Amino acid sequence: MSPVSQGASRRLLLAGALAAVSAAVTGCSSGEAATAGGSRRLRIGYFAFPSGDLLVKHGKLLEKQLPGYRVTWIKFDSGAAVNQAFLGKSLDIAALGSSPFARGISGSSPIPYKVAWILDVAGENEALVARKGSGIADVAGLKGRTVATPFASTSHYSLLAALRTAGLESSDVKLVDLQPQAILAAWQRGDIDAAYVWLPTLDELRTTGIQLTSSKEIGAAGKPTLDLAVVSDDLIARDPRAIDGWRKAQAQALRLLRSDPDGSVAAVAAELGISASDAKAQLRQGVFLTPEQVTSPDWLGTDGTPGKLLTYVGDTARFLAEQRQIDAAPAGDAVREAFYLKGLPDVLK
């Protein structure tokens, strides 16, 4: 696929933003989003993916932290769609992979948002799977084959990294841009040879496929990917207290994943409409930090002292630029400005 210029891509994203989320949020303006029926409103973007987000949603942990707020949860299928929604000013807070976040802060008109939390680190819950009987035994065997992944996602980034490690360029395979459910349908039809995607679609592919590598392996080799929580610049300016409440709710969810595993499994099963055994297996594949680890120098960091995530995001952007997925990586100062660390770690106490 030939690269599209950053400016053109951003214009296309902006043109499609309202259409992508109009059914969920009916195009509310920032002022309308701030108050609804006399209460403050928060529009939260999330994925149907095992994480603390689902515990916050299911247990109404955010509403307990912020009584009087009207919280609306909006489900997304990919980070590209989340970026579109932020461009359309239709979200206040959302889950977003580290790769689409790196894209979003690149270019001359970066998306007006900042990373404020880490939801999880990609592990075995994102992986590259080849069809059984395809004759593909390793990543190098993908040469000349059709491989699907959601473009501009963490899976896309990890796929590019896996290809490079195997001595392949993206042009050596036929890359197809498909969302998770479309990947499953294409797999069942026999239209694709392999796919890099996340749970729960990943588990369905594994039943008739062979795993070639995972985001856990790729991260261990120096290219980790993460699911982040990003907040709009508008929310930072108008209601930083809401962000404090969000972080407290997310920290509570991370603690519950350890202190109440059965309750966590039940919440994820209910939110995803799957069995408890499936929910338990999916949660086991993720890497969930403690709140203390999130704010440590190894990850997000604290107010005034960003952690290693700053390096990871910068490295991701440079890699995407090398792969011609973006025109150019942002400068170090621009990456630093895309971090919102005010109040950390004290706000979690």
Side-chain angles (χ1 to χ4, degrees):
M1 184 186 73
S2 59
V4 180
S5 72
Q6 186 79 4
S9 297
R10 190 58 50 82
R11 288 193 296 273
L12 288 171
L13 286 174
L14 183 57
L18 293 178
V21 297
S22 60
V25 296
T26 62
C28 292
S29 68
S30 296
E32 291 170 328
T35 58
S39 63
R40 297 192 180 191
R41 179 176 180 180
L42 286 175
R43 301 159 300 171
I44 313 294
Y46 78 105
F47 294 94
F49 182 87
S51 75
D53 250 4
L54 296 187
L55 273 65
V56 172
K57 179 176 182 291
H58 188 75
K60 297 188 180 298
L61 304 184
L62 183 57
E63 288 88 339
K64 294 172 184 176
Q65 289 289 341
L66 299 172
Y69 279 68
R70 178 183 171 189
V71 179
T72 302
W73 290 84
I74 307 161
K75 186 168 71 174
F76 288 86
D77 292 325
S78 71
V82 170
N83 277 344
Q84 288 178 345
F86 273 109
L87 282 167
K89 299 185 182 300
S90 299
L91 283 174
D92 301 303
I93 304 173
L96 185 64
S98 52
S99 177
F101 174 67
R103 289 171 179 267
I105 63 173
S106 301
S108 58
S109 301
I111 296 174
Y113 59 21
K114 292 176 173 56
V115 60
W117 191 252
I118 294 174
L119 298 174
D120 64 84
V121 182
E124 293 294 329
N125 48 11
E126 287 193 25
L128 174 61
V129 180
R131 182 188 303 282
K132 288 179 181 177
S134 64
I136 302 170
D138 53 26
V139 178
L142 293 174
K143 186 172 183 178
R145 301 301 189 97
T146 301
V147 186
T149 195
F151 282 11
S153 68
T154 50
S155 286
H156 187 195
Y157 169 81
S158 295
L159 173 59
L160 295 176
L163 292 173
R164 169 171 281 196
T165 299
L168 299 178
E169 298 295 331
S170 58
S171 58
D172 290 325
V173 301
K174 182 181 179 182
L175 286 181
V176 181
D177 180 13
L178 294 176
Q179 296 305 309
Q181 283 304 307
I183 284 177
L184 180 59
W187 180 278
Q188 293 170 338
R189 291 193 304 266
D191 294 345
I192 57 178
D193 301 303
Y196 207 125
V197 70
W198 51 83
L199 295 172
T201 301
L202 173 60
D203 267 351
E204 297 192 63
L205 302 189
R206 282 172 171 149
T207 61
T208 54
I210 300 170
Q211 183 167 308
L212 305 180
T213 190
S214 70
S215 294
K216 181 178 181 179
E217 294 177 42
I218 293 168
K223 294 192 181 300
T225 52
L226 306 93
D227 290 312
L228 311 173
V230 294
V231 298
S232 71
D233 286 357
D234 179 66
L235 183 64
I236 292 171
R238 78 168 191 266
D239 196 357
R241 175 177 172 269
I243 302 170
D244 293 345
W246 169 258
R247 283 169 165 159
K248 288 179 181 178
Q250 290 291 340
Q252 182 181 356
L254 289 177
R255 294 187 181 104
L256 286 171
L257 285 167
R258 285 172 167 75
S259 66
D260 185 12
D262 291 341
S264 300
V265 165
V268 169
E271 287 294 327
L272 297 183
I274 59 178
S275 69
S277 59
D278 285 345
K280 184 176 182 179
Q282 291 188 18
L283 280 168
R284 192 181 296 122
Q285 297 177 60
V287 179
F288 302 105
L289 307 174
T290 66
E292 292 72 27
Q293 287 173 320
V294 169
T295 58
S296 74
D298 286 337
W299 296 103
L300 182 61
T302 58
D303 194 355
T305 311
K308 290 182 181 178
L309 179 63
L310 187 70
T311 300
Y312 297 151
V313 172
D315 288 348
T316 299
R318 284 187 289 275
F319 179 81
L320 293 173
E322 291 171 6
Q323 294 291 306
R324 299 187 179 182
Q325 296 295 311
I326 58 176
D327 284 348
D333 288 346
V335 177
R336 173 64 184 86
E337 289 172 4
F339 277 54
Y340 179 72
L341 303 178
K342 187 175 181 180
L344 291 176
D346 292 343
V347 73
L348 302 180
K349 297 176 180 177

